[in-house]
Amino acid sequence: MERALKKTVVTWLNAEGEADPNRAETALRRVFLRLPRYAPPAGLLTAVLGRLGMEPRGLFSAPRLTPQWKALLAVAFALVAVLGGAMPRLLGALWIGLGPGRAIDLTAGFLVGLTARLAESVLVWGAFSGAARIVFESVSSPQMMTAIAAAALVSAAALRLLHGLLLSERNSRYAQPG
């Protein structure tokens, strides 16, 4: 370890022993700043890609486009150019056809529909909460609580019995394929 790094590690360890966590954190940052940079060996990329059966030069070279991809790109660029020229006329015709009054009517209809769905959801919520209240009242009665406790005790006893049966079945060949 180089001398400056050793000194910062000692400073950090001394700061850890004291009661000031901020000083210790600052000292730890200095230790990390003093650590040497790691550089992989020179032929690592070539060796890894060779093991994978890949050519290292193929990764960094420009991709070659096949004629099908070139034709697809040409059609896409042509479509973008045509739509770019036609879009302002289409939007203008759409705005004239809709008009500001039609846009206001559509927005108002949307808001009315939204509030109607909200009112329906409040009614559904009221029905569900009423049903939950009835179920809670019936379950919280002393008779039902006794029945639930008895069912839990029977379940626990059955689980304990099954566990005991499984333990008695274990032997040296328990987990080995037969």
Side-chain angles (χ1 to χ4, degrees):
M1 202 181 322
E2 76 178 52
R3 186 175 170 169
L5 177 61
K6 190 177 269 189
K7 183 180 175 187
T8 54
V9 168
V10 169
T11 305
W12 168 60
L13 291 174
N14 290 337
E16 282 290 329
E18 298 172 4
D20 188 14
N22 291 332
R23 185 170 172 258
E25 188 70 28
T26 304
L28 180 62
R29 281 194 195 113
R30 287 188 188 128
V31 168
F32 281 125
L33 289 174
R34 293 273 181 185
L35 287 174
R37 303 265 185 226
Y38 173 73
L44 179 69
L45 179 67
T46 308
V48 170
L49 291 177
R51 288 269 177 124
L52 293 174
M54 298 172 69
E55 180 68 30
R57 298 194 189 275
L59 292 175
F60 302 110
S61 62
R64 297 183 187 256
L65 294 176
T66 61
Q68 293 89 359
W69 281 107
K70 288 180 181 178
L72 184 66
L73 281 173
V75 168
F77 285 141
L79 189 62
V80 166
V82 168
L83 287 178
M87 192 59 71
R89 282 179 273 165
L90 285 173
L91 289 177
L94 186 63
W95 181 251
I96 290 171
L98 278 178
R102 181 74 177 140
I104 292 172
D105 289 342
L106 288 174
T107 306
F110 172 74
L111 288 176
V112 167
L114 183 67
T115 55
R117 298 304 170 265
L118 184 62
E120 290 171 4
S121 65
V122 168
L123 290 175
V124 169
W125 180 261
F128 280 150
S129 64
R133 190 176 317 111
I134 292 169
V135 168
F136 175 74
E137 289 171 359
S138 66
V139 168
S140 65
S141 69
Q143 297 87 1
M144 283 302 288
M145 292 304 271
T146 305
I148 290 172
L153 286 174
V154 168
S155 298
L159 182 63
R160 176 70 180 123
L161 178 67
L162 287 173
H163 181 70
L165 288 172
L166 282 175
L167 283 179
S168 66
E169 288 289 320
R170 281 191 148 163
N171 57 27
S172 63
R173 290 178 279 146
Y174 179 73
Q176 295 175 357

